[in-house]
Amino acid sequence: MLKSKTFVKKTRSGGVLKIVREHYLRDDIWCGSEVCKECKDEAPVLQEDACIESNLCSYPHYLIPDTNVVLHQLDILVDPLIRNVVILQTVLQEVRHRSPTVYKRIKDAIHEKDKHFYTFTNEHHRETFIEREQGESANDRNDRAIRVAAKWYTDHLAKVTDGGPLKVVLLTNDRANKEKAEQCGLIVYRCEEYIKSLIGNPELVDRLALTADDQNEVTGSKLLFPEHLPLSRIQTGIKNGTFLQGTFHANRDNYLEGTVFIHREGADINEVLLRGFQNLNRAVHQDVVAVELLPKEHWVAPSSVVLLDDSPNDEDAEEDETENKLKSEASESSALKPTGRVVGVIKRNWRPFCGMLSQSQIKEATRHLFTPADRRIPRIRIETRQAATLVGQRIMVAIDGWPKNSRYPNGHFVKNLGTAGDKETETEVLLLEHDVPHQPFSQAVLSFLPKMPWSITEEELKVRADLRHLFVCSVDPPGCTDIDDALHCRELENGNLEVGVHIADVSHFIRPGNALDQEAASRGTTVYLCGKRIDMVPELLSSNLCSLRSNVERLAFSCIWEMNHKAEIIKNHFTKSIINSKASLTYAEAQMRIDDTTMNDDITKSLRGLNKLAKILKGRRIDKGALTLSSPEVRFHIDSETHDPIDLQTKELMETNSMVEEFMLLANISVAQKIYDEFSECALLRKHPAPPPSNYDILIKAAKSKDLEIHTDSAKALADSLNNATTESFPYFNTLLRILATRCMMQAVYFCSGMDNDFHHYGLASPIYTHFTSPIRRYSDIIVHRLLAVAINADSTYPDLMDKHKQSALCSNLNYRHKMAQYAQRASVAFHTQLFFKNKGIINEEGFILFVRKNAIIILIPKFGLEGTVFFENKDKPSPHLNFDSEGPTLKVEEHTFHIFDKVKVTISLDASNLQHQRIRMALIEPVIPGVSVPVPESEPVAKKPKLDR
């Protein structure tokens, strides 16, 4: 049966367009139930025995949730207890339109066989399709469609079971919808009513999201925040320039401050500072908000005060005292920033947050405060009856809303992750908090892996360069199993050198568009944590078939240059190849071979040739202005049995690290030029923007404190002045400057060549750059391999590869994933550092001041690559006299003045008083300041060192 929908649409030019859409109605859409013999469904989803223990429904029943229940109570629906649910097409369409995240989660639940969720296509069923009546809103029409489908199910099941016990229960939180459904004779309950009726499942009740009515009940009557403006007024304000739209970033160190990054291209103002509760107006980190600028006389400078919201009470506390502390700061007029207030929220970016419960002091209370692990997220008030069990556990909580008369947002419990401090739990938390996809690979993904045993086919041998005879070797960190790259160097008959960089041919195994490719694109990168690796591709590829292990034949993509002995490139070519690596070496093993004059085998000769050329290449890069920066990286020695860190040291870099790096850079630059020459509009490249001059202020001030000058007009000027900035009395000074220079840099990003015209890589001083050399662990490199393969006619193209808009969207995801992977890695190092200090008691160490703040100094301990803060304001004792000078910057504490890079001595210990935010606590020993510094603790006996798992 054919229906047609007709509607008119106004065109841009002001004309009217009539649109007719055909809508087919069918008789062969089945109910999906095992009990039904009338429907000819070969694979029914809904069970005959649909029993769940309930005080309200003692009979077997199927659930039909309306749209709002799916949107707001999804944490309930995805619980393993809830099964046999009919998801109507009307509901699915509305959810898809209103929340892509919820839509994806409900689709995943539908695909989960154990859940028995069935999609009923009611909009195309002859007996359940309804037309919108005159004067009826789209929302009311959809509510009626849901009631009609529920009525059809009720009648259909009664008919096929001869009035048997199986029923249909409609779940809705809409009063009007509930009343109308009852008038139709349907069994209908509010979601909360139904969940509370389930026997022996208190955890499910905690997962109920608060509805708007509940939220008003929970909060007080006192108005704490200004009303948010309606969306229509916000849009008008943005159009006429009264308001600015941007993304809100909360300040990690000061909960009363945040910044809105403005979205509009070419806007005069890129950032707006927000300060104080009223001006933040319930914005949560990453929300898209509308802001109104305050008059210039109310503009302020970013605060140097460190403020953490850790007050123990769960009342709507007065914040006046804290806000006054911020207002009392004197601001230099040059440091003033455009300041504003939030007038409305355009898009909430809420997700489930990990953290811990702060149990209410009131006996038998059910309302408690939840403290997120991420300090940028406000505390959340939740209702739970299992607080006693959840104390000391890491849990997940979702925000439901933030009323204008509540100090905190309201939310609901989602999931218990495990005991706080437990290694597995904490790893899970940091992966969730940094949005790192870490679920096991699905069957759909694994189905695209090659069948084992795998071997190179005759066809491949015919179309690839056979390089198995070459003395190729790989050089990697110890314990590396995902070996992306291998190298070779040999002398040619004409006296020149042939150098080859051979990269795992991952794109041979991952074909465009399949489930394996989509999963790798979504993950974007492999994430390396301490003692754990979350692979971008399944292990069969990452550690076996793609890994260029020694003494096995592997498919590679080779970049081969002919060079003279001055490392000048005479010619280069790219080819798909087959290699057989002759050795998998660590950096230390390769270094030992180069240094050992008694060794003269082919691999060692190759390494010496590579090392010699690498030194020339590096010298040339540095002459062009490439930066040599520094960061204090640490390596843990892990106990082989307990997997706890038992020793911690900064990573030592050798010549061989630099050797491998030089040839990877050369390969990346050569490939970048090749793919850009061939595909000027859709090459995936990587750029590193030059930092704005203001970024260097702190670096210039730090050098000035030692009467040295830093020039930042160009990368070359910066590199030269860093090389010259040395003081004989302070050898570590130059390293500290380079660490500080690293902090001034911008983030390097992927981009599509057709969408940008600035290609320059500032840090490498290269006009063009990309990533080609690590396709096992970076998806960007897989795309670059595909582009290069098309360029040399080694593979065929596909539409998305040549679409610059698709490439650009992919780059955005890759940039996000890389950034989050970096943060997750840092969090993992921080957690393992805490584990290390947990068993050490108090340690005394020398360090250097990296930053001077208004009420604190931030110290770097070179021995451990560790940063920590010494606070000079303590709630428990009177504060010393502090005088902060932003020009220096210097901080005078009593009679002593602290400068950047001053040498200090501190005690280091683990402060576990806050179980969630355990932190390394530092206290000043030297210089001795009466009432501020602490006495030198007595050194503890050194425990016998356990064996190291190297």
Side-chain angles (χ1 to χ4, degrees):
M1 180 178 167
L2 182 66
K3 288 251 177 195
S4 65
K5 285 181 178 178
T6 308
F7 56 94
V8 288
K9 182 182 170 185
K10 196 173 180 181
T11 63
R12 277 187 180 175
S13 58
V16 173
L17 189 66
K18 183 180 179 183
I19 295 173
V20 180
R21 285 212 180 124
E22 293 180 335
H23 190 87
Y24 290 89
L25 299 181
R26 303 169 58 155
D27 299 313
D28 58 349
I29 294 169
W30 317 128
C31 70
S33 173
E34 285 179 351
V35 299
C36 182
K37 300 292 177 272
E38 195 174 291
C39 294
K40 301 174 180 65
D41 196 345
E42 288 175 12
V45 172
L46 302 164
Q47 295 170 297
E48 186 173 348
D49 179 24
C51 286
I52 185 167
E53 282 191 273
S54 159
N55 294 326
L56 285 176
C57 314
S58 53
Y59 38 80
H61 57 275
Y62 299 151
L63 294 174
I64 299 185
D66 74 355
T67 309
N68 280 324
V69 169
V70 173
L71 280 170
H72 302 300
Q73 306 292 355
L74 189 61
D75 289 321
I76 295 282
L77 294 175
V78 298
D79 189 273
L81 184 79
I82 305 296
R83 296 196 298 273
N84 296 296
V85 177
V86 178
I87 303 291
L88 301 175
Q89 182 189 2
T90 309
V91 170
L92 214 48
Q93 283 172 347
E94 268 198 284
V95 168
R96 183 180 192 173
H97 176 64
R98 285 168 61 182
S99 171
T101 317
V102 174
Y103 179 73
K104 185 184 182 304
R105 284 183 72 195
I106 197 71
K107 287 290 281 181
D108 288 345
I110 290 164
H111 291 138
E112 216 176 298
K113 285 186 178 168
D114 296 343
K115 291 286 291 169
H116 301 281
F117 274 37
Y118 179 67
T119 312
F120 179 61
T121 322
N122 62 308
E123 295 290 353
H124 288 277
H125 193 290
R126 191 196 294 269
E127 294 175 42
T128 58
F129 170 75
I130 59 160
E131 300 222 37
R132 188 168 158 188
E133 292 172 355
Q134 203 168 355
E136 186 177 39
S137 71
N139 199 37
D140 288 345
R141 181 260 166 210
N142 287 343
D143 283 348
R144 189 160 60 87
I146 291 166
R147 293 195 298 275
V148 166
K151 180 75 176 136
W152 179 84
Y153 254 102
T154 302
D155 297 344
H156 178 74
L157 290 175
K159 182 179 156 193
V160 298
T161 60
D162 291 329
L166 188 60
K167 305 274 190 256
V168 168
V169 174
L170 176 62
L171 295 182
T172 180
N173 288 329
D174 183 319
R175 283 181 194 161
N177 196 17
K178 185 172 185 281
E179 283 167 17
K180 287 173 184 170
E182 283 166 343
Q183 287 163 15
C184 299
L186 294 170
I187 302 169
V188 55
Y189 294 114
R190 284 190 312 114
C191 188
E192 183 184 359
E193 205 180 353
Y194 175 78
I195 295 302
K196 285 182 175 174
S197 80
L198 299 179
I199 297 163
N201 285 287
E203 200 176 285
L204 260 190
V205 179
D206 289 351
R207 286 195 187 148
L208 280 165
L210 291 177
T211 59
D213 295 345
D214 301 331
Q215 302 227 16
N216 294 334
E217 246 174 71
V218 169
T219 54
S221 55
K222 185 184 170 191
L223 219 63
L224 296 175
F225 296 101
E227 187 90 63
H228 283 157
L229 297 179
L231 209 53
S232 54
R233 272 193 62 191
I234 289 172
Q235 284 166 341
T236 311
I238 289 168
K239 266 184 190 170
N240 64 30
T242 318
F243 305 143
L244 296 168
Q245 177 179 327
T247 303
F248 171 68
H249 284 239
N251 185 331
R252 199 187 293 274
D253 296 323
N254 185 341
Y255 71 105
L256 289 176
E257 200 167 271
T259 307
V260 175
F261 292 92
I262 305 306
H263 291 170
R264 202 172 62 216
E265 283 282 316
D268 300 337
I269 293 172
N270 298 321
E271 294 175 23
V272 176
L273 186 70
L274 307 178
R275 180 184 290 174
F277 266 115
Q278 300 281 315
N279 293 340
L280 291 168
N281 198 3
R282 296 169 283 157
V284 176
H285 183 62
Q286 293 285 12
D287 282 351
V288 177
V289 297
V291 288
E292 179 180 44
L293 285 177
L294 298 175
K296 281 198 175 179
E297 59 268 24
H298 292 142
W299 286 13
V300 294
S303 169
S304 303
V305 171
V306 178
L307 275 184
L308 305 176
D309 183 12
D310 50 9
S311 54
N313 63 328
D314 57 356
E315 297 304 310
D316 291 334
E318 292 290 329
E319 299 296 329
D320 299 350
E321 194 184 319
T322 319
E323 293 208 27
N324 287 338
K325 190 188 285 186
L326 287 179
K327 285 175 188 167
S328 67
E329 287 189 73
S331 295
E332 293 288 324
S333 58
S334 59
L336 297 180
K337 287 271 170 79
T339 308
R341 65 186 188 97
V342 170
V343 293
V345 176
I346 295 162
K347 181 173 177 269
R348 289 290 194 190
N349 243 329
W350 295 341
R351 57 177 173 84
F353 301 104
C354 301
M356 291 180 75
L357 197 70
S358 313
Q359 198 173 0
S360 170
Q361 304 301 309
I362 304 161
K363 209 176 178 187
E364 291 181 22
T366 56
R367 288 179 190 152
H368 307 271
L369 275 182
F370 162 83
T371 307
D374 187 342
R375 288 194 182 277
R376 293 168 301 186
I377 307 299
R379 294 198 277 180
I380 302 162
R381 189 182 276 114
I382 68 166
E383 200 163 323
T384 175
R385 285 149 196 78
Q386 43 172 350
T389 354
L390 294 179
V391 169
Q393 301 287 298
R394 287 284 200 176
I395 63 173
M396 279 177 88
V397 160
I399 299 179
D400 299 325
W402 195 342
K404 58 182 179 286
N405 45 5
S406 170
R407 160 75 170 80
Y408 298 111
N410 296 320
H412 66 272
F413 168 80
V414 175
K415 185 178 175 185
N416 186 350
L417 298 168
T419 309
D422 172 74
K423 206 174 309 153
E424 288 302 311
T425 305
E426 295 302 328
T427 302
E428 177 74 6
V429 167
L430 76 86
L431 290 171
L432 288 165
E433 278 299 292
H434 294 96
D435 194 15
V436 174
H438 59 287
Q439 66 283 4
F441 290 101
S442 68
Q443 272 316 117
V445 169
L446 298 173
S447 67
F448 285 97
L449 291 174
K451 302 290 172 275
M452 296 300 284
W454 174 86
S455 60
I456 297 170
T457 61
E458 284 299 318
E459 289 75 30
E460 285 299 327
L461 280 165
K462 284 175 193 165
V463 294
R464 288 175 179 264
D466 188 348
L467 307 179
R468 289 175 290 184
H469 60 287
L470 294 177
F471 286 92
V472 171
C473 70
S474 62
V475 184
D476 290 283
C480 177
T481 59
D482 51 344
I483 302 169
D484 286 289
D485 53 89
L487 301 149
H488 89 271
C489 174
R490 64 171 180 166
E491 197 155 337
L492 298 172
E493 286 175 4
N494 62 7
N496 286 333
L497 298 169
E498 178 188 84
V499 175
V501 166
H502 312 278
I503 305 298
D505 189 4
V506 182
S507 63
H508 170 83
F509 297 97
I510 300 181
R511 302 311 295 162
N514 67 24
L516 178 56
D517 183 47
Q518 287 169 4
E519 182 67 21
S522 166
R523 292 187 179 218
T525 178
T526 291
V527 181
Y528 296 90
L529 306 179
C530 300
K532 188 182 176 86
R533 187 179 84 202
I534 288 96
D535 281 326
M536 180 183 82
V537 297
E539 198 176 6
L540 178 66
L541 295 183
S542 66
S543 296
N544 187 349
L545 302 185
C546 291
S547 184
L548 304 181
R549 303 187 304 190
S550 53
N551 303 314
V552 284
E553 292 181 0
R554 288 289 176 257
L555 300 180
F557 210 147
S558 299
C559 183
I560 297 170
W561 303 272
E562 185 179 328
M563 292 182 179
N564 61 23
H565 287 267
K566 291 179 186 169
E568 291 163 342
I569 297 168
I570 292 149
K571 61 180 180 187
N572 72 338
H573 76 281
F574 308 96
T575 179
K576 292 253 183 170
S577 61
I578 298 168
I579 64 163
N580 187 326
S581 170
K582 303 296 184 280
S584 301
L585 306 172
T586 64
Y587 291 117
E589 286 167 347
Q591 191 66 53
M592 195 183 70
R593 278 177 177 252
I594 291 168
D595 298 341
D596 187 346
T597 50
T598 62
M599 293 187 80
N600 281 303
D601 57 284
D602 291 306
I603 288 290
T604 307
K605 282 180 191 167
S606 174
L607 287 167
R608 284 188 190 129
L610 290 164
N611 197 36
K612 192 177 159 192
L613 292 169
K615 285 177 182 175
I616 301 169
L617 289 169
K618 185 172 186 175
R620 202 175 292 151
R621 264 194 327 107
I622 288 168
D623 288 345
K624 281 185 189 169
L627 297 173
T628 312
L629 300 177
S630 186
S631 70
E633 284 194 82
V634 296
R635 177 174 300 263
F636 292 96
H637 291 302
I638 305 289
D639 184 289
S640 52
E641 191 181 333
T642 64
H643 299 289
D644 284 339
I646 50 175
D647 196 8
L648 183 153
Q649 64 189 53
T650 47
K651 290 183 184 175
E652 189 189 342
L653 294 180
M654 305 181 189
E655 266 186 14
T656 44
N657 289 76
S658 180
M659 175 189 84
V660 172
E661 185 186 11
E662 284 309 314
F663 286 106
M664 297 307 118
L665 293 176
L666 187 62
N668 287 334
I669 293 166
S670 303
V671 170
Q673 195 59 59
K674 176 72 177 174
I675 61 173
Y676 178 63
D677 291 346
E678 292 288 334
F679 309 110
S680 60
E681 284 293 293
C682 58
L684 191 152
L685 302 174
R686 187 166 174 82
K687 68 172 179 175
H688 182 214
S694 60
N695 277 31
Y696 289 124
D697 290 352
I698 191 74
L699 183 69
I700 293 165
K701 284 177 180 177
K704 201 175 173 185
S705 70
K706 295 283 183 274
D707 298 322
L708 291 163
E709 222 173 322
I710 295 285
H711 299 284
T712 59
D713 324 341
S714 66
K716 173 77 174 140
L718 175 63
D720 289 346
S721 37
L722 281 173
N723 290 339
N724 298 329
T726 55
T727 61
E728 278 184 29
S729 59
F730 189 0
Y732 196 66
F733 174 74
N734 191 262
T735 308
L736 284 169
L737 263 190
R738 289 179 194 276
I739 289 170
L740 210 52
T742 308
R743 310 288 169 93
C744 302
M745 292 300 137
M746 305 289 282
Q747 194 90 29
V749 289
Y750 296 110
F751 69 100
C752 174
S753 59
M755 305 292 276
D756 207 325
N757 47 22
D758 172 25
F759 293 8
H760 191 75
H761 197 293
Y762 181 80
L764 297 172
S766 175
I768 193 165
Y769 192 66
T770 192
H771 271 164
F772 165 76
T773 55
S774 296
I776 297 177
R777 60 185 177 90
R778 291 189 305 232
Y779 188 76
S780 51
D781 304 50
I782 293 179
I783 295 293
V784 169
H785 276 229
R786 288 174 181 167
L787 287 163
L788 184 61
V790 176
I792 63 166
N793 295 318
D795 206 343
S796 52
T797 185
Y798 58 100
D800 283 7
L801 192 65
M802 298 295 146
D803 184 329
K804 65 179 181 182
H805 298 286
K806 292 259 176 78
Q807 288 280 45
S808 195
L810 174 69
C811 287
S812 298
N813 180 55
L814 295 180
N815 290 330
Y816 170 71
R817 291 293 186 210
H818 275 261
K819 186 170 70 176
M820 295 321 274
Q822 224 173 8
Y823 292 161
Q825 280 155 248
R826 283 181 204 163
S828 179
V829 168
F831 173 63
H832 278 74
T833 306
Q834 289 170 10
L835 283 183
F836 170 72
F837 282 106
K838 196 175 183 177
N839 307 319
K840 292 283 174 187
I842 297 175
I843 294 176
N844 310 329
E845 275 302 332
E846 286 186 342
F848 297 97
I849 296 175
L850 263 192
F851 300 102
V852 177
R853 296 279 183 259
K854 205 150 204 162
N855 59 346
I857 51 175
I858 292 159
I859 293 163
L860 171 74
I861 310 292
K863 181 178 174 182
F864 299 130
L866 175 70
E867 270 176 55
T869 308
V870 171
F871 289 97
F872 294 116
E873 285 179 342
N874 197 319
K875 287 177 185 171
D876 311 329
K877 58 182 185 182
S879 295
H881 178 69
L882 303 177
N883 189 355
F884 176 70
D885 177 10
S886 59
E887 276 308 297
T890 61
L891 177 65
K892 191 173 182 184
V893 181
E894 296 295 346
E895 294 306 309
H896 185 86
T897 304
F898 289 102
H899 305 80
I900 290 185
F901 297 167
D902 279 359
K903 195 175 191 177
V904 292
K905 195 168 189 180
V906 292
T907 65
I908 310 170
S909 59
L910 179 68
D911 175 7
S913 57
N914 180 334
L915 191 57
Q916 162 146 266
H917 292 123
Q918 293 192 21
R919 57 180 177 220
I920 302 297
R921 186 175 283 286
M922 290 189 184
L924 195 67
I925 300 175
E926 289 173 12
V928 175
I929 303 172
V932 175
S933 53
V934 297
V936 181
E938 289 176 27
S939 56
E940 298 175 13
V942 180
K944 187 183 171 189
K945 266 197 177 180
K947 65 177 173 131
L948 300 184
D949 177 17
R950 294 185 192 278

